[in-house]
Amino acid sequence: MSDQKVFVASDESKAKAKQFRVFAFLAWIVAIALQFFAIFKLISDETMVWLIVVIVVILALAIVASMLWKKANKLDPASEKDKVKFFVQSQLGAIMGVLAFLPLVILIFTNKDLSGKTKGIAGSIAVVAMLVAGISGVDFNPPSVEQYTEEINKQTSVLKDMNVPDNVHWTSAGNKYHIYEDCYHIANRDNKTTGTVKQSFEQRGISELCKTCEKRALGENENTPE
């Protein structure tokens, strides 16, 4: 158990995650503000077209916000130990996506001054938009500290089984870590970083070993006399 490595998001990852979350909240705030504008100014037969336009804009903002929120969670995930916090942080995109439309949907269908045609068209579009915003905000495989910890230890064990030290290389644009600094995939790159598997995961979210390096390491092990 002493060799167990626990995932901790790097300061850089936390800063990026914070930035993504701020932009996500700004998008949600604008979306909800537009919803209130639509509720007070656009629920009428005469402004149905503008109501539909605003619904589409709200949907776009909700989807963008959810994407940013998911990116933030990948960089700085919650722990599964606190079930409520983990659920809210993981699924906030879906929650906010629904909230960006639900009051509007209710008021469209309960407004006595609207014609059946306007209710049918605008109401249906609003319902579909709410469903799209909600579903697009759901994270079906939310990242967690525990999940990342398990992956880090799994990858570290892979290196150990190949008699390779936990000292790997990666680039700022890559999505794999490398055992060999002279691997042809990164040999001519200037932006290489060296560290442990844990660091590659915490700093770049990299959890996959380069297949070329893996094949080379296995070959060297086979040729090494016992």
Side-chain angles (χ1 to χ4, degrees), residues 35-53:
Q35 178 185 208
F36 280 111
F37 174 76
I39 288 172
F40 291 110
K41 297 293 184 180
L42 300 178
I43 299 182
S44 70
D45 294 333
E46 293 76 17
T47 56
M48 183 181 70
V49 173
W50 284 110
L51 177 59
I52 293 172
V53 170

Side-chain angles (χ1 to χ4, degrees), residues 94-132:
I95 295 169
M96 295 300 292
V98 172
L99 290 178
F101 287 101
L102 186 58
L104 179 61
V105 169
I106 293 173
L107 290 172
I108 287 175
F109 284 110
T110 58
N111 191 302
K112 297 179 180 179
D113 297 326
L114 284 182
S115 66
K117 179 181 178 181
T118 299
K119 285 184 179 181
I121 296 174
S124 298
I125 292 173
V127 169
V128 171
M130 181 176 67
L131 292 174
V132 172

Side-chain angles (χ1 to χ4, degrees), residues 62-82:
I63 291 174
V64 169
S66 293
M67 291 173 60
L68 291 171
W69 192 259
K70 288 178 184 179
K71 284 185 176 182
N73 286 340
K74 287 182 179 180
L75 291 169
D76 184 21
S79 172
E80 295 178 26
K81 292 179 180 178
D82 188 334

Side-chain angles (χ1 to χ4, degrees), residues 69 73 86-96 137-142:
W69 192 259
N73 286 340
F86 178 71
F87 174 79
V88 172
Q89 181 170 323
S90 299
Q91 307 304 334
L92 189 61
I95 295 169
M96 295 300 292
V138 174
D139 196 333
F140 294 98
N141 184 28

Side-chain angles (χ1 to χ4, degrees), residues 19-20 113 203 209 218:
Q19 187 178 53
F20 284 143
D113 297 326
Q203 295 177 22
L209 171 61
L218 290 172

